[in-house]
């Protein structure tokens, strides 16, 4: 049992709520904050306190945004006919960091998993179908993970959108089976995008 002041112990406890942060790392973070000057500490606190109040979900692709439309959806230089479907926001940013993709996105916010009770109505598949019907999309790249759930979701999506006269492709070589995009390096993601195959 430590003998830290309660305010310091509370700070350590808050840090341990972050994923991957154990008591030792949380303690190190708390001590690091002690070295902040008052202005930096106040800024840090304000950013943490206000980010959830100010952050929005893009109305078009469902990523994080400061406005109704994110900077990708509002960029007219992006290829408006190309749509990449990803599981989550982290996957979208992983593809963006690769620098190889210049189209738009659709974030499902999950994958199908009947065992866990996740069915099509629980993720943004209906919004994807509506988007394809309303917009001038020529190709949909399905970039879900290569896990069983990711492949099941990709097959389901391909099946329900196949009659829309669009090209349907799936990310190909480069992404190992069972892996997540957020852990892939730029070149691996670039390879998988470049070598995508038609469904």
């Amino acid at each position: 049992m430590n003998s830290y002041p309660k305010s310091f112990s509370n700070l350590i406890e808050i840090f341990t709520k972050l994923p991957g942060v154990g008591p030792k790392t949380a303690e190190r973070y708390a001590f690091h904050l002690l070295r902040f000057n008052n202005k930096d500490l106040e800024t840090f606190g304000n950013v943490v306190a206000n980010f959830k109040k100010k952050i929005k979900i893009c109305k078009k692709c469902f990523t994080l945004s400061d406005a109704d439309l994110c900077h990708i959806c509002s960029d007219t230089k992006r290829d408006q006919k190309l749509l990449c479907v990803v599981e989550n926001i982290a996957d979208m940013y992983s593809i963006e960091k690769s620098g190889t993709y210049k189209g738009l996105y659709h974030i499902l916010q999950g994958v199908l998993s009947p065992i866990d009770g996740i069915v099509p109505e629980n993720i943004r598949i209906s919004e994807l179908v509506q988007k394809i019907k309303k917009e001038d999309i020529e190709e949909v790249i399905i970039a879900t993970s290569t896990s069983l759930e990711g492949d099941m979701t990709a097959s389901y999506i391909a099946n329900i959108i196949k009659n829309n006269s669009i090209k349907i492709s799936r990310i190909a070589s480069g992404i190992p089976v069972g892996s997540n995009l957020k852990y892939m390096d730029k070149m691996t993601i670039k390879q998988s995008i470049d070598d995508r195959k038609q469904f």
Side-chain angles (χ1 to χ4, degrees), residues 18-56:
L18 295 172
V21 178
K24 289 287 185 189
T25 302
E27 187 178 62
R28 196 166 66 247
Y29 288 168
F31 275 115
H32 187 76
L33 283 184
L34 282 177
R35 295 198 295 269
F36 276 31
N37 62 45
N38 287 342
K39 184 179 177 184
D40 287 344
L41 194 57
E42 185 177 349
T43 300
F44 180 85
N46 286 337
V47 167
V48 171
N50 293 321
F51 93 97
K52 198 161 184 183
K53 296 176 189 173
K54 295 185 177 181
I55 204 77
K56 296 182 178 183

Side-chain angles (χ1 to χ4, degrees), residues 82-83 85 128 132 137-143 153-171 196-199:
L82 188 58
L83 185 67
V85 180
L128 172 63
I132 290 168
I137 304 295
E138 292 182 356
E139 180 181 0
V140 172
I141 302 171
I142 303 175
T153 305
S155 295
Y156 181 85
I157 291 170
N159 190 53
I160 63 171
I161 66 174
K162 66 183 178 185
N163 296 322
N164 285 278
S165 301
I166 56 172
K167 180 180 177 183
I168 303 168
S169 53
R170 175 89 163 105
I171 55 172
R196 64 186 182 271
K197 59 183 179 181
Q198 190 161 348
F199 236 113

